[in-house]
Amino acid sequence: MQENNGRAQALVTRGNQVLMVQHCMGDDAHYCLPGGGIECGETPEQAALRELREECNVTGTIIRKSSEWADPYHTGTNYTYHIDIGDQIPTLGFDPELQTQILTQVRWLTLAEMTETDRAFVWSARLMSIPQFAQEMGVQPYD
């Protein structure tokens, strides 16, 4: 059994949009942030940048860590990094850890375009720490 080193994901924003990757498994389709498992010998930062490159075909620069939390259902910690990709255009990549391709789409989504389920991924990533999203929701940004 492979050791669980945690999970890292990329929170990439452009204006009032968030970069999301659609996962389809059977009849279930949902959007989440680009991310995945941290490989042995890899830092969470390296994992977030690698997952972004694999799933969205872009490179980025970490602005800051936006969240870190222990997963109550698995061993390991989840890390989210706010990442800048400049003006690159994301395109659908792949998930090399999976035998079957479940990634079906890469999209920039506004909060209004996200389902409540999809919003759960960005709330846990501390989207409200980014001023334009806090302003959109009528709250003060938090650190």
Side-chain angles (χ1 to χ4, degrees), residues 65-122:
K65 180 168 55 175
S66 64
S67 73
E68 177 180 335
W69 54 280
D71 187 334
Y73 302 105
H74 302 93
T75 58
T77 302
N78 290 293
Y79 302 88
T80 305
Y81 294 91
H82 187 196
I83 297 176
D84 178 34
I85 64 166
D87 61 358
Q88 296 175 77
I89 299 172
T91 59
L92 183 62
F94 65 98
D95 190 337
E97 291 118 16
L98 299 176
Q99 301 273 337
T100 305
Q101 176 69 305
I102 63 167
L103 304 180
T104 57
Q105 190 174 36
V106 173
R107 278 188 64 195
W108 292 101
L109 295 173
T110 64
L111 290 174
E113 294 171 319
M114 292 179 202
T115 67
E116 287 301 315
T117 301
D118 299 338
R119 283 185 187 186
F121 291 104
V122 297

Side-chain angles (χ1 to χ4, degrees), residues 4-142:
N4 185 338
N5 296 316
R7 184 176 193 285
Q9 59 186 10
L11 175 59
V12 180
T13 61
R14 188 173 280 166
N16 70 338
Q17 299 176 315
V18 179
L19 182 63
M20 304 284 281
V21 179
Q22 186 178 51
H23 291 236
C24 287
M25 295 174 278
D27 292 337
D28 177 48
H30 63 276
Y31 284 93
C32 61
L33 298 174
I38 301 169
E39 296 177 355
C40 191
E42 186 176 51
T43 66
E45 295 89 347
Q46 291 168 329
L49 293 170
R50 175 184 49 76
E51 290 287 345
L52 178 63
R53 187 175 57 254
E54 289 173 354
E55 295 182 8
C56 301
N57 293 309
V58 293
T59 58
T61 303
I62 294 176
I63 298 169
R64 67 183 178 89
K65 180 168 55 175
S66 64
S67 73
E68 177 180 335
W69 54 280
D71 187 334
Y73 302 105
H74 302 93
T75 58
T77 302
N78 290 293
Y79 302 88
T80 305
Y81 294 91
H82 187 196
I83 297 176
D84 178 34
I85 64 166
D87 61 358
Q88 296 175 77
I89 299 172
T91 59
L92 183 62
F94 65 98
D95 190 337
E97 291 118 16
L98 299 176
Q99 301 273 337
T100 305
Q101 176 69 305
I102 63 167
L103 304 180
T104 57
Q105 190 174 36
V106 173
R107 278 188 64 195
W108 292 101
L109 295 173
T110 64
L111 290 174
E113 294 171 319
M114 292 179 202
T115 67
E116 287 301 315
T117 301
D118 299 338
R119 283 185 187 186
F121 291 104
V122 297
W123 295 144
S124 67
R126 294 187 52 153
L127 184 66
M128 291 303 110
S129 66
I130 301 172
Q132 66 263 30
F133 293 98
Q135 181 179 7
E136 182 177 337
M137 297 304 293
V139 299
Q140 290 293 320
Y142 56 82

